Amino acid sequence: MAVEHPVQSNTIVDVLEKVLDKGVVIAGDITVGIADVELLTIKIRLIVASVDKAKEIGMDWWENDPYLSSKAADNKTEALEQENKKLQERLDSLEKSLGNNRLNLAEK
């Protein structure tokens, strides 16, 4: 009587689907040194996952990077314009109060 083993065939597509669904993290450090003196350290972090899985675990840096997303560039521009407007208002206020102080000193 022959023993039969179930044959499980995984194609590259099946493996890729599982990897993208679950995600894979590869981490490592490379340190270069001479005579116990550390000269260079390179930290390598690699994650392979689908966009949905990456967002699920809180990784969405590409959405906020102006080099990778036009929306991020627009948001950055708007934020800078608002900050510039607030700073200009503060500067105007300070100049006005400084001018009032000079007038008060001149009158005395």
Side-chain angles (χ1 to χ4, degrees), residues 36-95:
D36 293 331
V37 176
E38 187 176 312
L39 300 174
L40 175 68
T41 299
I42 300 172
K43 295 186 179 279
I44 300 170
R45 305 292 182 260
L46 172 69
I47 182 166
V48 178
S50 67
V51 171
D52 294 334
K53 185 65 175 179
K55 285 183 177 182
E56 184 181 316
I57 61 174
M59 291 182 61
D60 61 354
W61 52 266
W62 61 87
E63 291 181 347
N64 300 318
D65 190 329
Y67 293 105
L68 299 174
S69 170
S70 60
K71 292 179 185 176
D74 293 341
N75 291 341
K76 182 93 172 168
T77 302
E78 290 175 16
L80 288 174
E81 287 174 353
Q82 289 177 356
E83 182 180 4
N84 188 20
K85 183 178 177 183
K86 288 178 183 178
L87 289 172
Q88 189 63 45
E89 290 171 356
R90 286 184 63 194
L91 181 61
D92 292 343
S93 173
L94 288 170
E95 286 176 344

